[in-house]
Amino acid sequence: MENIVITIARQYGSGGKTVGGMVADRLGIPCYNREILRMASDESGINEKLFAQADEKIKKSALFRISKSVYEGELLPPDSDDFVSTRNLFNYQAKIIKKLAETESCVIVGRCADYILRNYPNVMSVFVHAPHDFCMEQAMLRSSMTEREMEKFIAKTDKYRGEYYHYYTGQEWSSALHYDLCLDSSKLGFDKCVDAILAYRNIRFGED
């Protein structure tokens, strides 16, 4: 198989983003996260700031928590009143994610990439998680927050990630049913998480 894509979903503090970067480094391939916003901006002609603002907008919306806008792939034209709607901005990000999966090997962190690429045979999906104490410990290593502030921040961040995923996919973000591989980084450590991901990749796709 010419190009293989690895998607990484993760709890805050579990080190999923770090693991994704380490996997990409080991394989010598790109790792994408927020870079997708810039690429979607270039593709659509919509200011990159609007993509970031859309994330904040839905994060603060009460409607977001109780409704769904499940991704179907439809892109609205520039003359549409909803051209810069949160749904259309998400769809442009999805277009970039699909284009990446069709053209290169890479790691994609977050962005509901596992769902968007769920029917692609060259994609494997990973969910990195860990117990609360481990996530707290890891998060505090790179933060000036107090423990109480970090407790709230982790809870808020994971709640948002779950709601964001449900809003655009109709599915439960933390359900093992949606992933090929679920890894507890507290038990394996980051290096062995990378080893497990590469081992699964090799077994599934026959890569040396």
Side-chain angles (χ1 to χ4, degrees):
M1 191 166 288
E2 291 186 1
N3 57 296
I4 296 169
V5 175
I6 301 169
T7 69
I8 307 279
R10 75 285 185 216
Q11 287 182 309
Y12 190 88
S14 68
K17 182 179 177 181
T18 299
V19 168
M22 292 169 66
V23 168
D25 287 344
R26 288 267 292 270
L27 293 172
I29 60 177
C31 181
Y32 297 101
N33 185 2
R34 293 190 65 81
E35 296 84 356
I36 289 171
L37 301 185
R38 174 186 56 77
M39 297 164 76
S41 172
D42 292 343
E43 176 75 21
S44 64
I46 299 170
N47 192 306
E48 183 179 345
K49 290 181 180 179
L50 291 180
F51 285 90
Q53 289 170 2
D55 284 356
E56 289 301 315
K57 181 179 179 181
I58 59 175
K59 186 183 296 186
K60 296 175 182 177
S61 171
L63 183 62
F64 162 65
R65 298 181 181 89
I66 59 175
S67 63
K68 288 187 289 187
S69 181
V70 177
Y71 169 72
E72 296 177 349
E74 180 185 5
L75 289 169
L76 301 176
D79 58 356
S80 169
D81 291 340
D82 292 326
F83 183 59
V84 295
S85 64
T86 55
R87 180 178 181 180
N88 204 42
L89 293 175
F90 179 87
N91 288 356
Y92 267 106
Q93 293 177 61
K95 181 180 180 182
I96 295 299
I97 289 169
K98 286 183 172 181
K99 184 180 292 186
L100 290 172
E102 291 162 3
T103 58
E104 65 178 79
S105 293
C106 61
V107 175
I108 303 176
V109 179
R111 304 285 146 193
C112 301
D114 63 284
Y115 181 85
I116 293 164
L117 302 176
R118 65 195 183 282
N119 295 322
Y120 281 60
N122 63 323
V123 175
M124 60 173 282
S125 57
V126 180
F127 186 81
V128 180
H129 61 95
H132 176 71
D133 288 349
F134 179 85
C135 292
M136 273 290 294
E137 179 183 351
Q138 292 297 312
M140 290 299 293
L141 290 175
R142 57 183 186 275
S143 174
S144 60
M145 293 185 191
T146 65
E147 288 194 7
R148 185 171 183 179
E149 289 171 337
M150 183 56 73
E151 290 265 5
K152 292 180 179 179
F153 183 79
I154 288 177
K156 183 177 180 180
T157 300
D158 283 346
K159 183 174 184 291
Y160 168 68
R161 287 177 179 174
E163 289 173 344
Y164 183 95
Y165 190 89
H166 185 258
Y167 183 73
Y168 285 117
T169 72
Q171 308 294 326
E172 294 303 314
W173 168 66
S174 60
S175 172
L177 296 174
H178 308 311
Y179 304 99
D180 298 314
L181 201 60
C182 293
L183 301 173
D184 184 338
S185 56
S186 73
K187 294 179 179 177
L188 292 177
F190 297 163
D191 285 323
K192 288 185 179 179
C193 280
V194 174
D195 291 342
I197 290 169
L198 296 183
Y200 179 89
R201 176 184 183 273
N202 293 345
I203 291 169
R204 177 170 168 186
F205 298 111
E207 296 290 305
D208 295 327

